[in-house]
Amino acid sequence: MSSPQQERSSGVQLVSALLLLLSLSGCLSMDVLVPNDINALNGTTIIIPCTFTSCYKIDLTKFAMNWTYQETLNNTEEKFMTYDKKKGMQPVPSNRFGERVVFSGNLDKNDLSITLQDVQLEDEGIYNCYVRNPPDRIQGHGLINFNVVTELPPPRDSTIAVAIGASVGGALALLILSMVVVKCLRRHRKQELISEEKMEEEGKLEPEAVAEEGTKLP
């Protein structure tokens, strides 16, 4: 039979092992944060953001990331930005982008954003941000649908908005005025009814008063 001290020691070891497993389970994955869709105006410069959260600080000797492009989900991915352990973030030679893509993030802040200059119609497609940050075991992935437009949406017509606002305001004013008028008429009618009732009561009392005066002795 084991002694109480041995049982207590075994219990402490079991609890420690469970706490260790729980602490590790919370750090088995990471989250890559990117917008689902980006609309860029043709010919402009735009930032394509990508950040990530991790339980561990970046170890530059183990860290890895890639930016890739693909026209559709069925097309092959083309790598155009990567992390080099000696040179840091580096663009990968690309016929599509040339020198139009530069790294604009900050590794110390887990920011892997890039800047795309002189946006072209051919740049439309899917942009993937892949991140690996050991000892996180799972590779993070963010997917962005990048749309290129040739013109901005037309501005809202303020004249129509003002006209609608004036119409609504006028209708509300008329409604309030109508309610006030109805209320005043009801109050006036109520006062008339009260006056009529008083006059009727006074008319009933007058004959009685005359009769009483007639019965008095001279």
Side-chain angles (χ1 to χ4, degrees), residues 18-36:
L18 289 173
L19 290 175
L20 178 61
L21 287 174
L22 287 174
S23 63
L24 290 175
S25 64
C27 295
L28 291 177
S29 63
M30 67 169 68
D31 288 323
V32 176
L33 309 175
V34 298
N36 293 326

Side-chain angles (χ1 to χ4, degrees), residues 32-45:
V32 176
L33 309 175
V34 298
N36 293 326
D37 299 277
I38 292 179
N39 294 321
L41 183 62
N42 185 37
T44 61
T45 296

Side-chain angles (χ1 to χ4, degrees), residues 73-119:
L73 289 174
N74 296 325
N75 294 105
T76 303
E77 296 183 33
E78 174 187 346
K79 183 167 63 176
F80 62 89
M81 178 73 68
T82 188
Y83 174 77
D84 184 274
K85 291 180 174 61
K86 295 182 180 179
K87 300 180 181 179
M89 296 296 299
Q90 294 290 314
V92 176
S94 168
N95 293 330
R96 178 180 300 277
F97 299 111
E99 298 180 354
R100 294 186 296 118
V101 178
V102 295
F103 177 69
S104 55
N106 187 337
L107 290 179
D108 293 334
K109 297 181 179 180
N110 295 0
D111 185 354
L112 306 174
S113 303
I114 57 175
T115 297
L116 178 59
Q117 302 170 344
D118 190 19
V119 174

